[in-house]
Amino acid sequence: MKRFLTACLLCLGLIGAANAATDAELTKQVNAFVDGWHDDAANTRMAYFDKIAKDGVYIGTDRSELWTRDEFKAWSKKYFDAKSAWTFKATRRNVYASADKSMIWFDELLDTKNMGHAMASGVIRKTAKGFEIVHYQLSVAVPNEVVDQVTGIIAEHEKKAKK
């Protein structure tokens, strides 16, 4: 009986180790996919939009920026045509997944050329063809010490816009 229990514990340990390796491998794959997606934008490759699911959503930093993939592609066309889109470099990314690893979500800290530090989160669907971004939300990282100043500037801007 002791040997049986020892064998069971050993098997469970090996299964746990295999899952840990799979999680590390999935994280590596997701990082490569998202980094490649950001690189597509930085180099104005239209493949950028192919990595967003047909039913995908992109939420930008302006409150008017809630787009489907095709709306986002149409809005972004002028930047990609001008060969001057955005450059996001992840400085930290956390990756999480459902038990079956078909749905993956992540959060990331970004260094950007035009906004400085930013934050984003996303949801990725794993399909037979690979990964696709279902949801991505970008935000500007505002230090707490200056958030009152920033929200004041926004309130003033919105007040002027109503006139």
Side-chain angles (χ1 to χ4, degrees), residues 33-67:
F33 174 76
V34 178
D35 288 343
W37 183 58
H38 290 322
D39 192 60
D40 285 341
N43 291 287
T44 59
R45 292 187 293 260
M46 294 305 285
Y48 176 82
F49 299 100
D50 297 335
K51 290 180 173 121
I52 302 173
K54 188 172 184 139
D55 61 342
V57 173
Y58 189 101
I59 302 172
T61 56
D62 187 279
R63 70 190 216 171
S64 69
E65 297 175 341
L66 173 58
W67 296 294

Side-chain angles (χ1 to χ4, degrees), residues 49-123:
F49 299 100
D50 297 335
K51 290 180 173 121
I52 302 173
K54 188 172 184 139
D55 61 342
V57 173
Y58 189 101
I59 302 172
T61 56
D62 187 279
R63 70 190 216 171
S64 69
E65 297 175 341
L66 173 58
W67 296 294
T68 64
R69 179 198 65 187
D70 294 341
E71 291 168 339
F72 184 48
K73 185 176 182 179
W75 177 85
S76 302
K77 185 177 182 334
K78 61 185 174 260
Y79 299 102
F80 279 73
D81 287 350
K83 302 292 183 202
S84 178
W86 43 93
T87 302
F88 296 168
K89 175 73 174 141
T91 58
R92 187 201 78 210
R93 184 179 296 124
N94 296 306
V95 177
Y96 314 91
S98 61
D100 68 356
K101 303 197 179 13
S102 64
M103 293 302 289
I104 301 144
W105 55 100
F106 64 95
D107 57 78
E108 58 186 0
L109 293 179
L110 301 165
D111 277 340
T112 74
K113 260 188 177 174
N114 62 329
M115 295 183 298
H117 299 294
M119 299 174 72
S121 61
V123 177

Side-chain angles (χ1 to χ4, degrees), residues 9-19:
L9 288 173
L10 180 60
C11 284
L12 287 173
L14 291 174
I15 290 169
N19 285 339

